[in-house]
Amino acid sequence: MAITTPQQPTETDMRALVGEIPSRHAAVGLAAGVVRDGRLDFFHGHGFADLATRTPITEDTVFRVASITKTFTAIAVMQLRERGLVDLDAPANDYLKAYTLTAGDPRFPPATVRHLLTHTAGLPEVAQPWGMFMPDFGESVKSGRPLPSLAEYYGGSLGIGAPPGSRFVYGNHGPATLGQIVEDVTGTPLAAYFRDHIFTPLGMEDSDLLPVDRIGPRLATGYEIRSRGVKEIAPRDMVTAGAASVSSTPRDMARYLAALLGGGRNDHGTVLGPDSVAMMFAPHHQPDPRIPGLGLAFFRFDLDGHLAVGHQGT
């Protein structure tokens, strides 16, 4: 949503704008916030986190932020780069131990870490043909069931179907592979790495790679909106965790945004140097000269004449 006014919108203006959203996009509940000067300057929760209990949405409601997870995984990779443990232009296979990226044509150049960060590694959108007919393209299991490792899911090898660097194909397998690189380089499970190196330093106390006991009870219920009403959706957990599995709250996401706006730091701590954050926001792939290009895990786009950087989560 773009706001064009001669002055900063007031809280009354913001509540009116947010209040218009359900009239255009049906929703059981939503949360909207604005970060300004390093803090959550405005928050508005609309509707319910759970219809059965009539639980309202607050700053502490836990949401699955889905593909925004990809940006956390990219920050972890950039931290390894700052420590000299990863070279963005080195072949990703130099760091992978759990499985390999296998070129469909021996003439393909190697897929690099930078290719994975920009969705240009030549990886397919669907890894397994049978996934076309399953929820989440076969990348998820019902919550509570054991998750296979990526090595098991890919059978030890993930195929590259196009020359790396030749085209942009958005998907989960590149970011999931970046998460595997973080695990293989550090010897630390990705969930623990996120907690120790991103969530805790930024004061994101109610965030985790998967809903856990301490935040699970506050997890918003998912619904499908139909012509005859709403239907609750059974939660599923993603095998491609580094691409889609973070759960967080509006309060924590505001702290994350404050750190991104603050060059890698907020009032609680630091996760990246400002040069690394600027590099993530800069263009690294230009699929179309009419758009601002792709950053490292972040999308660049024009917002009413202003350059904006962000990522969606669905």
Side-chain angles (χ1 to χ4, degrees):
M1 177 180 294
I3 303 171
T4 304
T5 67
Q7 301 175 349
Q8 292 280 12
T10 65
E11 183 167 332
T12 300
D13 295 332
M14 289 300 302
R15 291 190 183 279
L17 287 166
V18 175
E20 294 174 2
I21 296 175
S23 66
R24 299 193 303 273
H25 306 282
V28 171
L30 64 89
V34 175
V35 172
R36 185 181 293 133
D37 297 327
R39 65 183 182 87
L40 184 60
D41 188 62
F42 166 82
F43 173 80
H44 180 58
H46 175 87
F48 299 99
D50 184 84
L51 283 174
T53 59
R54 309 294 285 182
T55 302
I57 288 177
T58 72
E59 296 175 30
D60 298 311
T61 300
V62 177
F63 293 91
R64 295 175 184 265
V65 302
S67 287
I68 298 174
T69 301
K70 295 173 173 67
T71 66
F72 291 104
T73 302
I75 283 177
V77 171
M78 294 299 286
Q79 288 177 338
L80 299 185
R81 175 188 173 274
E82 287 188 338
R83 294 166 57 189
L85 298 177
V86 166
D87 180 344
L88 299 189
D89 295 311
N93 280 334
D94 287 357
Y95 306 108
L96 281 170
K97 299 176 183 177
Y99 57 91
T100 58
L101 301 180
T102 305
D105 188 320
R107 295 171 295 181
F108 289 174
T112 67
V113 176
R114 192 185 304 270
H115 288 142
L116 294 173
L117 286 166
T118 55
H119 298 281
T120 60
L123 295 173
E125 198 167 3
V126 179
Q128 313 285 4
W130 44 261
M132 292 291 295
F133 309 100
M134 298 184 68
D136 302 312
F137 301 112
E139 295 176 38
S140 67
V141 301
K142 290 184 178 180
S143 289
R145 292 186 178 179
L147 275 172
S149 68
L150 286 177
E152 294 168 334
Y153 180 71
Y154 293 136
S157 175
L158 177 59
I160 294 175
S166 65
R167 64 183 184 182
F168 167 82
V169 177
Y170 181 80
N172 284 345
H173 306 298
T177 297
L178 290 169
Q180 188 65 59
I181 286 174
V182 173
E183 290 193 348
D184 289 346
V185 169
T186 65
T188 304
L190 191 61
Y193 186 93
F194 278 4
R195 285 194 298 270
D196 293 343
H197 296 274
I198 300 177
F199 298 146
T200 297
L202 295 183
M204 299 175 67
E205 299 174 354
D206 291 325
S207 301
D208 217 306
L209 188 60
L210 290 170
V212 293
D213 291 343
R214 61 188 173 81
I215 63 173
R218 286 185 277 130
L219 181 66
T221 302
Y223 296 95
E224 181 181 5
I225 298 177
R226 299 180 173 183
S227 59
R228 297 183 179 180
V230 297
K231 178 183 178 182
E232 184 174 332
I233 299 174
R236 301 181 68 86
D237 297 331
M238 300 296 290
V239 178
T240 49
S245 292
V246 164
S247 292
S248 189
T249 65
R251 187 189 307 277
D252 277 6
M253 291 302 291
R255 291 174 177 172
Y256 180 48
L257 180 55
L260 293 175
L261 292 169
R265 64 175 299 164
N266 64 14
D267 289 342
H268 296 269
T270 302
V271 292
L272 277 182
D275 290 345
S276 293
V277 175
M279 181 184 294
M280 295 183 77
F281 293 167
H284 291 261
H285 183 68
Q286 192 83 31
D288 187 325
R290 296 170 295 179
I291 63 175
L294 304 169
L296 300 178
F298 287 94
F299 295 111
R300 296 159 50 88
F301 52 93
D302 182 273
L303 183 63
D304 199 22
H306 299 277
L307 175 64
V309 179
H311 203 291
Q312 79 283 8
T314 304

